[in-house]
Every structure is written in C-alpha cells, then in structure tokens.
C-alpha cells in the first residue's frame, strides 16, 4: 500500500539526552529523577547528537515516517513564553533530515516533559498552563508547519495524569482524585485550544491526539458486567476519545464525579471551545486490552509493575464501586505484566472506527524485553512474532473497511523507558549503553524492512 505510513516512534525525553545543551530549560522529569537519585534520561539514546544516523537507519529499514515529540523545554525558555532559537534550530534540522530521507515527520507537541518552571507553579493543576501550552503549540505550528503535515496535541493524557496524580509512580508523584480530574480536564481543554490555534492559523495537514488505548473486555455477558464495562470504558478511554473526537465529556462520568470532586473549573465557554475544536484523526497506542469484572470488595488499588521480572504478577487495578481488572491465566504476559493479545488491536480499531468515523493511526505498538546487546545481532524473534501478529490485526481491520492509515513500532532504537530505565528494551535497533551507545540492528529491524517492502509491492 503506497499511501500507508510505516514507521516507528520516540519521545523527546526518552531518546534525546542533551538535557543541559542548546539552552534547554529543565523539565519536570529532570527535577524528579535527579532529586530522587533515579536512573535518568540525561544521555538516553543521545538522539540529540545522532539523529541523522538514526533517521538514516529508519530509511534503510524501509520506513517512510518517523513519529517524534518536540521537547517543550527546548522551545520555550521560561514562563514568559520566550522562544529558544537553539531549540527551534535543532528541530528544524531533525525535520529537514526526515525530508532528506523521504521520511514523513509525524510530530507530537507534548509527550510528558513539562518545563519545570511550569510544574513549580502547579503544572497541569494550574489553568495558566493551558494558556502556556496554546502559546507553545502556536510557536511549533509557525516554526515547523511549512514542512509538518501530521500533528498530535498530546501523547497519552490518560497515562500521564493517572501516573502522576492518581497512581503516583510518575512525577509529580501524587495520589489525589481531585488533582487527577483537574489535570485531566485542563489537558483536554489545552488540546482543544491547540486545535483552535491550528485551524485559525490555516496550517497545512491535520491535527489529532494520541491515546493509550485499552479496549475493554468483560468476563461474561451479565448486566452487572456490562455496567462495570461502561465504568471501565469511561475510566480508560471515553474521557479522552469522546472529548477529543466528539467534543463531549461523557455525561455519566461527570454524574459519577459530581459530589466527589469540585468541577467548578469546567466553565461553559471551555466546554463550548472543546465542542467546537475536535480532532481530525485519532492515534492509538496499543499494548494490551483490559479484561474486567464487576467490583466485589476492597479499596481502590492501582499497582503498575515498573520493576519487570522482580515484580512480575503484582500489577492490580481495582476501582472501588466500579470494576476490577482480571488477568486471564491462559494468556501470555511480558515480564512487566502486559498481556499479549493481538486480537484486541483489531477489535479495538473496529470499535473506534465505528464509533467516531475518524482516520486511525496505530501510533505505538511494541514489546519490552530483556536483551543482551553485546552479541553481534540480537535475535529478538519474540518481538518479530509480536509485531507480525499485531500488524496482521491492523491489516484485518483495514480490510474490513476501517480507515487505518499508519503503523508505528515502538521504537526505532532502544530508549530510556521512564521508571523502567534502560533495561526494558523496545528497539528495532540495539543500543549498547556500555559501549559508546553503538547502534546494532536487531533481527526485527530486517524483518520489519522486508515486511514493509512486501506490503508496498501490493
């Protein structure tokens, strides 16, 4: 398929390094990881210095698109909104290099690395951050919009707010329902504000949002499970997708939150703006489905395994009064408790297309593995099997008539994987962190290249 985008995806903090170069401001992740003496992304994959090598390898690997994020702290110096020309120059070089190699740039405006000067003033709990974000987005459109045709406002706002404000395993490390609701609302408002800037500016191309997509499966067909599934759909998916695509925050979710949370920040003029500026397409990051059962007992419990094999089997989700997650014993799981279930990707695309009728891109899909990268070539056949089954699921949905326009492997090369550090490897290309960050294509790199070549013949 000549018009289908085959690519791979990264995030600025996870790959760039160069944390104190190019007049870059400090991010909330710099502050959090340094203060807590945790493994950090100061160097990461050193994409900041080696992006041309990495993009050239994407091209040699048959890819025709690269999804990457712009680091807000590289573009905007301070709370006054001053533009950092060195940061603009860096991303101009990245974009121009993509075009040099016939790689379509697919740009995410925000992938979690909030400038620390905003975080110190409340971050996404402060309405002023939405205005700062709209300004930052407009700067991106103005500086790069002549060459970028595909934009997304946010990467995984659900995962960001739930991890930072509800589970507490990511910065700012809070566990507060009110803060979760407030930050979630402001991020979705900011997304609509960016869409407004994009539309009013008359920029080329399209703008969407990227969601950490988990299709919901119930354990049975009882009424109780159907009700629990609706709670789970609102919790995992609807408040992002309905708000971004339909311009409506689910009413039954608001009804559940009313009385438990202060919703006074939801101004009528905001809701009108959200209604008026919906996205052009949806990006879905798919790693696994969620199987749920009706709630039985216990307090709300949210445990995410960020320790891999040391904590395998510890992940747990219970939302008191709503639902609880079930992990089928018959399924296969990664060392980080992620179920391997490619059928969920086809079914998920089908559901999203039928509900929203917007083009879909699979903006992330991949598997994290422990790997010895000192060998000449990593034989990552488990990744090949994973990608093959999931790509088949994408193609099945496309053949059924769903408007799927691209698939992006996470990731083109090994990255810093947030709280999982660098031992959790997703890359098609190995990076030897102990040997000068040497790049070595894995077996999956060549498999993906050949699969793309075969598809493009059809």
């Amino acid at each position: 398929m000549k018009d289908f985008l085959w690519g791979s995806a990264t995030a600025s903090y996870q790959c760039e390094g160069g944390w104190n170069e190019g007049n870059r401001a400090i991010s909330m992740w710099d502050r959090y990881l340094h203060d807590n003496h945790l493994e950090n992304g100061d160097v990461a994959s050193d994409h900041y210095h080696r992006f041309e090598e990495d993009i050239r390898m994407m091209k040699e690997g048959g890819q025709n698109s690269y999804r990457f994020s712009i680091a807000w702290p590289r573009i905007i110096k301070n709370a006054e909104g001053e533009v950092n020309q060195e940061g603009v120059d860096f991303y101009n070089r990245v974009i121009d290099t993509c075009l040099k190699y016939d790689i379509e740039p697919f740009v995410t405006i925000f992938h979690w690395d909030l400038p620390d000067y905003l975080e110190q003033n409340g971050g996404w709990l402060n309405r002023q951050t939405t205005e700062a974000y709209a300004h930052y987005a407009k700067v991106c459109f103005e500086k790069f919009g002549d060459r970028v045709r595909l934009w997304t406002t946010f990467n995984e706002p659900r995962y960001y707010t739930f991890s930072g404000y509800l589970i507490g395993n990511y910065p700012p490390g809070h566990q507060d329902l009110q803060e979760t609701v407030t930050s979630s609302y402001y991020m979705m408002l900011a997304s609509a504000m960016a869409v407004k800037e994009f539309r009013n500016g008359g920029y080329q191309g399209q703008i969407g949002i990227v969601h950490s997509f988990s299709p919901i499966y119930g354990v049975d067909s009882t009424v109780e499970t159907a009700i629990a599934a609706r709670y789970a759909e609102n919790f995992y998916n609807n408040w992002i997708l309905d708000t971004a695509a339909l311009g409506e925050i689910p009413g039954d979710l608001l009804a559940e939150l009313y009385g438990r949370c202060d919703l006074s920040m939801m101004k009528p003029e905001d809701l009108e703006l959200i209604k008026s500026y919906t996205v052009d397409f949806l990006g879905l990051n798919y790693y696994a489905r969620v199987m749920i059962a009706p709630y039985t007992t216990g307090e709300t419990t949210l445990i995410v395994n960020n320790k891999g094999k040391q904590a395998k089997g510890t992940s747990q989700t219970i939302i008191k009064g709503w639902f609880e997650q079930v992990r089928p014993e018959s399924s296969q799981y990664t060392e980080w408790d992620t179920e391997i279930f490619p059928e969920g990707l086809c079914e998920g695309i089908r559901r999203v297309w039928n509900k929203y009728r917007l083009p879909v891109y699979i903006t992330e899909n991949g598997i994290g593995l422990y790997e010895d990268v000192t060998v000449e070539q990593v034989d990552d056949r488990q990744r090949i099997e994973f990608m093959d089954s999931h790509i088949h699921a994408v193609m099945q949905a496309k053949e059924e008539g769903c408007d799927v326009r691209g698939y992006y492997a996470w990731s083109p090369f090994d990255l810093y994987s947030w709280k999982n550090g660098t031992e959790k490897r997703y890359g098609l290309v190995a990076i030897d962190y102990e040997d000068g960050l040497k790049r070595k294509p894995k077996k999956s790199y060549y498999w993906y290249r050949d699969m793309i070549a075969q598809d493009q013949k059809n």
Side-chain angles (χ1 to χ4, degrees):
M1 292 173 288
K2 299 293 185 184
D3 58 343
F4 195 81
L5 295 181
W6 291 107
S8 50
T10 64
S12 50
Y13 186 80
Q14 293 183 261
C15 72
E16 286 181 2
W19 74 283
N20 58 355
E21 297 183 58
N23 209 20
R24 174 185 177 275
I26 299 297
S27 78
M28 67 183 297
W29 275 93
D30 298 316
R31 176 80 64 190
Y32 173 81
L33 295 168
H34 291 168
D35 287 356
N36 290 284
H37 308 291
L38 298 168
E39 183 180 353
N40 59 54
D42 288 2
V43 177
S45 312
D46 198 31
H47 190 59
Y48 184 72
H49 298 108
R50 304 176 69 157
F51 65 87
E52 175 138 15
E53 176 185 6
D54 292 329
I55 293 169
R56 174 179 53 77
M57 291 180 77
M58 294 174 205
K59 174 65 174 179
E60 292 171 354
Q63 299 173 43
N64 60 16
S65 186
Y66 175 32
R67 177 180 169 244
F68 62 93
S69 74
I70 291 174
W72 191 342
R74 285 203 193 281
I75 299 295
I76 306 296
K77 292 182 182 181
N78 48 41
E80 290 69 48
E82 188 180 353
V83 176
N84 173 27
Q85 189 59 43
E86 288 184 71
V88 171
D89 292 344
F90 169 69
Y91 289 109
N92 274 326
R93 292 194 295 272
V94 171
I95 292 165
D96 289 344
T97 301
C98 286
L99 299 178
K100 171 183 169 181
Y101 289 105
D102 297 318
I103 300 281
E104 179 83 27
F106 189 126
V107 175
T108 303
I109 299 170
F110 180 75
H111 195 136
W112 303 3
D113 45 356
L114 186 73
D116 189 60
Y117 57 75
L118 291 174
E119 180 58 35
Q120 294 304 314
N121 199 31
W124 288 106
L125 302 177
N126 186 339
R127 187 187 186 85
Q128 292 177 351
T129 300
T130 67
E131 302 290 344
Y133 173 81
H135 166 66
Y136 158 57
K138 185 176 182 180
V139 169
C140 289
F141 300 145
E142 289 180 347
K143 301 296 185 183
F144 314 122
D146 58 327
R147 287 152 294 153
V148 175
R149 296 185 302 152
L150 291 170
W151 296 89
T152 56
T153 57
F154 285 91
N155 179 82
E156 299 185 344
R158 181 192 70 83
Y159 207 95
Y160 178 91
T161 56
F162 283 22
S163 297
Y165 296 100
L166 192 61
I167 302 170
N169 61 325
Y170 284 8
H174 299 173
Q175 293 178 314
D176 185 281
L177 177 61
Q178 178 65 56
E179 290 188 356
T180 305
V181 172
T182 300
S183 61
S184 298
Y185 173 71
Y186 282 147
M187 287 186 87
M188 295 310 295
L189 173 60
S191 179
M193 291 166 72
V195 173
K196 180 181 178 181
E197 293 288 355
F198 185 78
R199 297 265 162 73
N200 290 351
Y203 303 99
Q204 66 172 345
Q206 293 188 315
I207 189 165
I209 194 168
V210 170
H211 172 50
S212 48
F213 182 53
S214 299
I216 305 303
Y217 284 66
V219 291
D220 56 37
S221 56
T222 63
V223 170
E224 291 79 8
T225 297
I227 294 169
R230 175 63 188 185
Y231 282 130
E233 283 285 8
N234 281 341
F235 180 84
Y236 283 103
N237 299 314
N238 291 342
W239 73 266
I240 298 289
L241 297 179
D242 282 15
T243 307
L246 304 177
E248 298 174 356
I249 303 170
D252 55 343
L253 176 60
L254 293 177
E256 284 288 327
L257 295 174
Y258 189 76
R260 299 189 198 186
C261 300
D262 178 6
L263 304 181
S264 62
M265 70 284 190
M266 299 185 182
K267 309 295 185 185
E269 57 270 28
D270 294 349
L271 299 176
E272 187 58 39
L273 190 147
I274 288 170
K275 182 79 172 175
S276 300
Y277 293 98
T278 54
V279 295
D280 298 317
F281 65 85
L282 296 169
L284 304 179
N285 291 356
Y286 177 83
Y287 292 94
R289 67 171 173 177
V290 174
M291 179 170 278
I292 62 94
Y295 169 79
T296 53
T297 187
E299 296 300 312
T300 292
T301 305
L302 295 157
I303 301 172
V304 175
N305 177 6
N306 288 134
K307 297 181 179 179
K309 57 189 175 185
Q310 301 173 43
K312 188 170 184 179
T314 61
S315 298
Q316 188 178 20
T317 300
I318 300 171
I319 304 299
K320 186 176 182 179
W322 284 11
F323 66 90
E324 49 195 60
Q325 185 175 0
V326 175
R327 299 181 182 275
E329 291 184 9
S330 58
S331 292
Q332 183 183 358
Y333 297 85
T334 72
E335 300 284 17
W336 288 265
D337 295 343
T338 302
E339 183 185 13
I340 299 173
F341 192 73
E343 300 94 323
L345 180 51
C346 181
E347 175 61 23
I349 294 170
R350 191 184 292 131
R351 293 180 191 178
V352 168
W353 169 246
N354 287 336
K355 182 175 184 180
Y356 301 108
R357 293 287 165 170
L358 288 176
V360 170
Y361 293 87
I362 303 308
T363 37
E364 285 182 29
N365 179 240
I367 184 171
L369 301 170
Y370 289 105
E371 293 171 330
D372 175 9
V373 302
T374 63
V375 299
E376 187 173 338
Q377 183 185 87
V378 175
D379 184 358
D380 55 343
R381 61 190 65 190
Q382 188 176 355
R383 178 170 292 109
I384 292 171
E385 292 170 2
F386 179 96
M387 290 179 65
D388 186 51
S389 61
H390 285 77
I391 288 171
H392 272 97
V394 173
M395 292 300 107
Q396 181 182 337
K398 188 169 177 59
E399 288 166 10
E400 291 176 7
C402 301
D403 187 1
V404 191
R405 299 187 180 181
Y407 172 91
Y408 293 80
W410 184 270
S411 52
F413 45 82
D414 290 335
L415 308 168
Y416 168 77
S417 192
W418 306 113
K419 290 286 284 288
N420 303 294
T422 51
E423 68 176 359
K424 187 180 187 182
R425 294 177 179 269
Y426 280 94
L428 302 172
V429 173
I431 292 186
D432 192 336
Y433 298 104
E434 306 301 318
D435 186 13
L437 300 170
K438 187 181 294 181
R439 270 77 166 144
K440 294 188 282 189
K442 303 176 188 178
K443 194 171 184 178
S444 60
Y445 170 88
Y446 296 106
W447 173 87
Y448 193 39
R449 177 197 66 186
D450 295 344
M451 189 282 302
I452 294 169
Q454 184 60 42
D455 174 77
Q456 291 182 331
K457 288 179 183 176
N458 298 333

